[in-house]
Amino acid sequence: MRKKFFLRFITWFFCFLFLFNFLILAQEKIATDSKNKKTEKEVEIFKEKIASKVAELRQENKQMISGRIIEIKKGEIEIKDNNEKKKIISVDDLLTKYYSIKNNQKKEINFSDLKKDDYILVSGIINDRGINADVIFVEEKYIIDFGKLVEINRREYLLKVVTLTNETISLDIETFTKQWLLNIKSLELERTGFSKIKEGDMIHFVIKDKKNENNRFSAQKILIIPQEYFLN
Amino acid sequence: MKKETFLAIILGVVFGFIFALLILGKIFQNHLSEKTKSSLPPIKKPSVLPQKTISLISLNILKPKNFLVVEDEEITIEGEAETDSLIVIQSPIKDLVFQNKKEKFKINFPLGVGENVIKIVVYPKNKNLRTQEKTLYIYYLPKEI
């Protein structure tokens, strides 16, 4: 009798376990699916992170050097950078590209178009002597500075400016010079003329790093802050 | 049905149910502990609050880094200056003048292809502070180059 009872008990016990096994399997499947989804998401985030890091590193490795050409040799250009240091630009006949930039427009040029005294901007990988050039841009070098107007020559359209470093700069106002005046009430910039400029005003200017025939700088742009602004 | 058979069925189902519950409980526990581990934010150490000093900032450029090479034709300049200073930002392609109502300022500034020399000058409202200036060299290389 007891044996019979035991056999039935065991049979039902295993039957129940067998059925319950499906429930466990289903539960595990749900858990595994959600885990897989989570893993996929994490992999996606990880991929994005790697991609942005690679882009960042590429950006960091892309370095620039600028300066004036002092000598052009075969496969090499020697320049003097903004700190008066000599740098060697290694060029490759096939890989290096050349552009000229004027009025914010770029035009493809050749190695043979480069001249001594050109201001060039070089993009590439820095080495101990200078840089291995990927791209070379020939462009104008601009100087931006400001100071106090100390002298106005109305006959010659000439302004003398003393900068913060006590340097006196002579500026020729040309027909192409863009002249702006700060409206001290609205703080808006307004177009102005030479006649409205006064000694004592602050002047912000943009010039090209080359003197004109009068051995002065031709102003590309000037921005005047009237001295009255500082009296308030 | 005999009494013994009925008892065997009941006991079999009850023990099977208890056994299954134990297994399920174990699985849930494991699952929960994994979830808790991954979703818990990292413990932050209590930080000491920075003491606010009297504002004497004349000019501090927070962004961008100097000599940065970018592929966009616009850049965001972020900085700090004494409140109500007159700020002049000038480059060969754009002139901008404004007064900062808050210490921090943030403006978008256009770039030209190649080297961009951007001069930032601050005339502090406080006349005891000197005019400050910073020059940024930002290189804009369009993607196609």
Side-chain angles (χ1 to χ4, degrees), chain B residues 25-42:
Chain B
K26 197 88 179 164
I27 289 167
F28 268 118
Q29 212 173 15
N30 284 344
H31 187 63
L32 210 72
S33 65
E34 265 177 33
K35 223 176 178 179
T36 326
K37 247 187 240 169
S38 59
S39 63
L40 266 178

Side-chain angles (χ1 to χ4, degrees), chain B residues 76-137:
Chain B
T76 303
I77 300 174
E78 281 181 53
E80 291 173 323
E82 195 208 12
T83 317
D84 288 328
S85 298
L86 184 75
I87 300 173
V88 181
I89 304 179
Q90 194 173 38
S91 82
I93 63 161
K94 177 92 178 167
D95 306 275
L96 206 67
V97 181
F98 61 95
Q99 222 170 19
N100 59 326
K101 294 291 163 211
K102 289 177 185 169
E103 253 180 27
K104 282 193 177 173
F105 62 89
K106 185 179 177 180
I107 51 114
N108 289 333
F109 200 79
L111 301 173
V113 179
E115 187 175 66
N116 288 265
V117 187
I118 304 171
K119 171 90 75 186
I120 304 163
V121 180
V122 168
Y123 296 100
K125 199 182 180 188
N126 181 349
K127 299 287 186 288
N128 296 325
L129 290 175
R130 282 188 63 185
T131 303
Q132 294 287 312
E133 58 147 328
K134 289 243 161 94
T135 307
L136 292 175
Y137 290 86

Side-chain angles (χ1 to χ4, degrees), chain A residues 106-124:
Chain A
K106 67 174 200 308
K107 188 182 141 201
E108 193 154 0
I109 55 167
N110 300 310
F111 178 76
S112 56
D113 295 316
L114 301 178
K115 299 186 302 290
K116 200 181 161 189
D117 212 34
D118 274 348
Y119 183 71
I120 59 167
L121 190 63
V122 188
S123 160

Side-chain angles (χ1 to χ4, degrees), chain A residues 186-209:
Chain A
S186 65
L187 295 185
E188 296 283 330
L189 291 177
E190 295 168 352
R191 288 248 181 212
T192 189
F194 192 76
S195 59
K196 290 191 181 168
I197 304 170
K198 306 181 301 294
E199 279 171 14
D201 288 348
M202 288 303 287
I203 180 168
H204 292 246
F205 56 87
V206 177
I207 53 175
K208 281 183 184 172
D209 188 23

